[in-house]
Structures are given as structure tokens and as C-alpha cells.
Amino acid sequence: MGKNIVIVGAVALGSKAGSRLKRLEPDANVIMIDRDEYISYGGCGIPYYVSGDVSDVSELRATSFHMVRDENFFKNVKDIRALSQTEVLKINRDEKTVLIRNKQGVESTLPYDKLVLGTGSKLRKLDIAGKSLKNIFGVGSLKDAIDIKELITKGNIEKAVIIGAGFIGLEMAEALSDMWGIETSVIEYFDQIMPGFVSKKIANMGMRHMEENDVKFYLGEKVTAFEGEEYIQKVRTDKRTIDADLVIMSVGVE
């Protein structure tokens, strides 16, 4: 009888750890749990899906042989049981059990010999007035990317504001401006883009290139409020107010 191995999180670390464990111990009973609908995808490709460079969302979940890494893939190819849309409620380390709840609301308990926590990070949230308005998104999951692209393809977005000029923020700005022709502005708290990653000289070179492609930058500014009735209409900083019908928050992770 093989070990029971429970993995919490099934995007990057979880799915790779599970596959590696099965190669090392083929008789192990490996179960992966993730509360999202989509598992085992390339999160770094999200901006390229939004831009259209990646045409179908399944490409971010596919192997080099074009097999989508879903629950059936892990069951039939990897001999791993994957439970999506399932939340871990409690870990009992003394009894070595995990309490879970599936999408139907049914709770059950899984025993484990070894437990892997691969939950990754969560988006950093800013406590800004108006943050609950519609059309304000983070970029923390494949579901976020699908929702953003669905909104854009309806043709109702003319002005977008990106909060944060890190790598994801800049890639999203490029996707919106270059590929979709949306008037795009980037607001950054620090006095350069990619703060903490590149020198100011390199940052200025990158910013000038993006400005030549119609992306506007507002550096050294703090977002103080989002304004609108039901949907976002304006982004207010400590220096100005910018019209927007789409806001993407890209302020890092925890």
C-alpha cells in the first residue's frame, strides 16, 4: 500500500510536485486540491492571452503534445486525482487529515502520510475607496484573464488604467494598447517603471519605447480613489483624475 500524499494547490508547484512524486513512488496515492476551476496553467502567459498572441485559453494549460492539463489528464496520464473547485477548510496535523469542501458544498476528510502546501501567493490588495466598482480587476488567475478578455472583446472599453508598472502591469499595458488600440495609462507609485528590478536608465529606455506606442505614464503618484456609480469611471490620484472604464490592479503579491 503506497503513501497517501495530499497536495494543496494545483497550479505550478502543486502539479509539478505531484508528477515528480508519482515518478519517484509510482504506488503513492496522490491527490491535488485547488479551489479554482482551472489547474496547472502557465500564469506568465496571461498577458499574451489577453493580447491575442495566445488565441485560446487552453494553450496556457496544454503540454508540448497539446494535451490540456485538466482533471482527466492527471487521472489518465499521471495517475493523480485532481480536485478542482474544492477548498481546504482545516488541517489536523495530529490526526494527519485534511477537511475539504467541494463545489456542491459537501464536506469530507482526506487522510495523509505526507502533506504538500503549494498555495503560492495572493494578490496584494490596496484599501482604496471605490475598489468594489465593476470593471476593476486583478491579474491573479486564469479566470481573471478570461473575464478581462471577454470584457474587451465586447468593444465597450475605450480607456484603461493600469495600477503598477511591474512586469505584469507593463505586459498588460502593451496588450491593451498595442493589440486592442485601447487608450492606456499606467500609474506607478515610484519614480520609475519596474522599480527594484532594473536601473533607472534601463527603465527610462523601456518607458520611452512604450510611450512611442501610445502608453501614458504617471510616475510618483498615489491612487487615492476609484469613482463611478456602478462601474468604474475615473481614477483619482494625489495629482490628477484620469477617465477609465477598465482598471487593472498590478501591485504585486503576498
Side-chain angles (χ1 to χ4, degrees), residues 124-155:
R124 180 178 291 118
K125 295 182 180 180
L126 302 181
D127 189 15
I128 300 174
K131 62 184 179 181
S132 60
L133 289 170
K134 293 182 179 179
N135 290 2
I136 298 177
F137 295 90
V139 192
S141 70
L142 206 54
K143 178 66 165 55
D144 293 331
I146 292 170
D147 290 343
I148 292 169
K149 188 168 184 179
E150 182 179 338
L151 180 64
I152 293 170
T153 53
K154 291 179 180 178

Side-chain angles (χ1 to χ4, degrees), residues 33-183:
I33 307 164
D34 202 286
R35 63 184 178 185
D36 286 340
E37 177 182 357
Y38 301 102
I39 62 174
S40 191
Y41 58 84
C44 292
I46 283 176
Y48 303 103
Y49 168 69
V50 173
S51 71
D53 290 326
V54 174
S55 60
D56 192 278
V57 72
S58 64
E59 294 180 46
L60 297 182
R61 307 176 65 200
T63 69
S64 56
F65 296 99
H66 309 293
M67 299 178 69
V68 176
R69 299 189 300 268
D70 56 13
E71 290 88 339
N72 287 330
F73 168 83
F74 281 101
K75 177 182 177 181
N76 297 326
V77 178
K78 301 292 187 179
D79 190 27
I80 295 172
R81 184 183 173 195
L83 305 177
S84 64
Q85 295 179 278
T86 301
E87 189 171 8
V88 173
L89 303 177
K90 184 178 181 181
I91 296 171
N92 188 324
R93 294 182 182 273
D94 294 327
E95 298 182 6
K96 287 193 171 183
T97 60
V98 174
L99 178 65
I100 64 173
R101 181 171 58 207
N102 65 18
K103 61 183 177 181
Q104 288 82 26
V106 178
E107 296 184 6
S108 58
T109 300
L110 298 175
Y112 68 83
D113 296 302
K114 296 292 183 180
L115 178 66
V116 178
L117 300 180
T119 54
S121 58
K122 62 181 179 180
L123 295 179
R124 180 178 291 118
K125 295 182 180 180
L126 302 181
D127 189 15
I128 300 174
K131 62 184 179 181
S132 60
L133 289 170
K134 293 182 179 179
N135 290 2
I136 298 177
F137 295 90
V139 192
S141 70
L142 206 54
K143 178 66 165 55
D144 293 331
I146 292 170
D147 290 343
I148 292 169
K149 188 168 184 179
E150 182 179 338
L151 180 64
I152 293 170
T153 53
K154 291 179 180 178
N156 298 325
I157 302 302
E158 296 181 356
K159 297 182 179 182
V161 172
I162 312 293
I163 313 298
F167 298 121
I168 296 296
L170 296 179
E171 288 175 348
M172 292 299 291
E174 180 187 29
L176 298 179
S177 177
D178 184 46
M179 301 302 295
W180 293 99
I182 295 171
E183 184 178 322

Side-chain angles (χ1 to χ4, degrees), residues 160-221:
V161 172
I162 312 293
I163 313 298
F167 298 121
I168 296 296
L170 296 179
E171 288 175 348
M172 292 299 291
E174 180 187 29
L176 298 179
S177 177
D178 184 46
M179 301 302 295
W180 293 99
I182 295 171
E183 184 178 322
T184 304
S185 302
V186 178
I187 302 172
E188 171 55 52
Y189 179 78
F190 292 95
D191 63 353
Q192 69 167 78
I193 67 173
M194 296 179 284
F197 295 105
V198 301
S199 69
K200 198 163 187 176
K201 184 176 181 180
I202 296 295
N204 287 337
M205 291 171 61
M207 187 174 72
R208 284 199 300 270
H209 174 72
M210 294 187 71
E211 285 175 332
E212 291 171 357
N213 289 277
D214 300 322
V215 177
K216 297 177 182 178
F217 287 89
Y218 301 100
L219 305 180
E221 297 193 22

